[in-house]
Amino acid sequence: MERRSLGKTGVSVPVVGLGTWLTFDIGPERQDVADDVVAAALEAGTRLFDSSPMYDRAEEVLGRAIAGCRDEAFIATKIWSPVQEQGRFQLEAQLGYFGGRVDLEQVHNLVAWQQHLPWLRHEQESGRIRFLGATHYQSTAFRELETVMRSGQIDAVQVPYNPREREVERRILPLAEELGLGVIVMRPFGERALLPGPAPAELERIGVSTWAEALLKWILADERVTCVIPATSDPAHAGENAAAGDGPWLNDEQRRMVEELAS
């Protein structure tokens, strides 16, 4: 799988990661589902795994799934609280789940970012957090996200990007490139609104075998993107998604064809 630099951090990651929104909020009796998905993703070359306290049990489930292979994983998770004390509690829980360190700690949906980033910087200096980031899923918040990006306090952003959600092309991606920030893409399938997609015959002229592959390659054709994080509870899909990270990428004409099909 192709690897890309996470901004100016000096670290590179494979271009297809794994999200855990909805898919990893499961009970202990289904832990083997997450274990199988993570194992399949790792075998296929995925290394970046994204989660959040907002996803209920997902962090704990992910932590158990990567417990035996923590050094192979790049853990991106989030602080999600309007209260600093609760944010600190979330970090302590994450350190327990993820072997004493978080690779990328993101302020989820910019909630109380003015409060959280200063103390998170201290945690970064102590070595418990490697890098800092910020996320938001709504384009109406991009002006505030731009402020955070320009603050010099973060290393990466996480935003939605797919053929129907393209506001990042106008504002966020150019600024991330200018500032040297990594870009993680959420919602590659538009929260499933873009699935199941067109018939296989329509995909042949694009040069892909599945619609998920078409969407992931459409995103990754934009080299300002560091990594895309589709979520799944199916080990086979985890492997198929990872395979999309091994180019070639779509050319301009193929991207337009995907956009037409997505519309």
Side-chain angles (χ1 to χ4, degrees), residues 68-82:
C69 48
R70 175 64 180 91
D71 289 343
E72 297 182 57
F74 184 100
I75 298 297
T77 192
K78 307 177 185 78
I79 296 298
W80 182 63
S81 174

Side-chain angles (χ1 to χ4, degrees), residues 118-138:
W119 70 265
L120 287 172
R121 287 291 291 265
H122 288 299
E123 294 288 355
Q124 184 181 27
E125 292 166 2
S126 76
R128 302 207 298 175
I129 294 171
R130 293 179 70 189
F131 308 114
L132 295 177
T135 82
H136 214 290
Y137 70 102
Q138 288 184 319

Side-chain angles (χ1 to χ4, degrees), residues 176-243:
E177 183 177 38
E178 175 188 335
L179 298 174
L181 301 179
V183 176
I184 298 173
V185 168
M186 67 171 92
R187 297 166 59 111
F189 305 144
E191 296 284 75
R192 299 191 63 83
L194 289 166
L195 300 177
E202 295 281 1
L203 302 177
E204 292 180 4
R205 55 197 184 105
I206 303 174
V208 297
S209 57
T210 70
W211 181 233
E213 179 187 4
L215 293 171
L216 295 174
K217 285 184 178 290
W218 182 92
I219 294 164
L220 292 169
D222 191 323
E223 295 187 353
R224 296 170 295 185
V225 171
T226 305
C227 180
V228 59
I229 50 169
T232 184
S233 57
D234 185 329
H237 287 166
E240 292 168 4
N241 291 340

Side-chain angles (χ1 to χ4, degrees), residues 79-117:
I79 296 298
W80 182 63
S81 174
V83 180
Q84 184 181 131
E85 183 179 357
Q86 178 66 17
R88 290 181 180 275
F89 177 81
Q90 290 173 352
L91 174 60
E92 293 302 325
Q94 292 163 355
L95 294 172
Y97 299 147
F98 303 127
R101 70 186 188 279
V102 171
D103 296 297
L104 175 64
E105 189 71 81
Q106 304 157 99
V107 179
H108 198 153
N109 291 342
L110 301 178
V111 175
W113 66 268
Q114 298 95 331
Q115 294 184 41
H116 292 311
L117 285 178

